[in-house]
Amino acid sequence: PGVLYPAVSVPTDRDLAAAKDGWGSKLPPDLVAFIGSHRTFLSINRFERKKNIELALEALYSLNAGTPHSKRCRLVVAGGYDERLPQARSYMAHLLATIECLQLQDQVWLLPSF
């Protein structure tokens, strides 16, 4: 006896083609250019310290070490952010400082409260 889980719905070729053609239509043009020019990882989280977004930044830094600039991967971090909360503002400042310390300014895009 085992557990049978429902299968994942697999999109048709037509659906995939439509998604490929229209993926950037609802995004800002500068973000589309950022994503479209390099292999990009996406992390969707709340901007909270317990989510340990620094780990993704450090992994990106390690992954790109020694890689020519034109072939470096990028990271988009998107998620909930409430600037009214002091701990949220503090964590965002910490992330920005970490990005600067690791010299990832041109490789990371933070998209709070998308």
Side-chain angles (χ1 to χ4, degrees):
V3 177
L4 180 63
Y5 295 99
V8 175
S9 175
V10 178
T12 65
D13 289 342
R14 183 177 172 189
D15 291 340
L16 290 173
K20 183 178 179 183
D21 292 339
W23 70 268
S25 63
K26 295 184 180 176
L27 298 174
D30 49 346
L31 179 57
V32 172
F34 179 83
I35 293 170
S37 62
H38 292 77
R39 179 167 288 153
T40 304
F41 295 98
L42 173 62
S43 175
I44 301 176
N45 296 290
R46 289 183 307 277
F47 284 87
E48 295 178 358
R49 203 168 289 276
K50 69 182 177 181
K51 297 299 182 176
N52 198 15
I53 296 169
E54 301 94 315
L55 183 61
L57 297 174
E58 292 165 5
L60 182 70
Y61 175 80
S62 295
L63 179 67
N64 286 340
T67 303
H69 191 272
S70 64
K71 296 189 184 247
R72 289 183 183 164
C73 295
R74 294 187 170 183
L75 172 66
V76 173
V77 182
Y81 174 72
D82 188 347
E83 66 181 15
R84 297 172 298 175
L85 301 175
Q87 63 269 29
R89 291 193 309 271
S90 170
Y91 188 55
M92 182 63 76
H94 171 71
L95 290 176
L96 292 170
T98 302
I99 289 167
E100 186 174 342
C101 179
L102 297 174
Q103 298 180 333
L104 296 173
Q105 297 94 322
D106 63 338
Q107 300 164 52
V108 176
W109 190 292
L110 300 180
L111 191 60
S113 297
F114 70 103

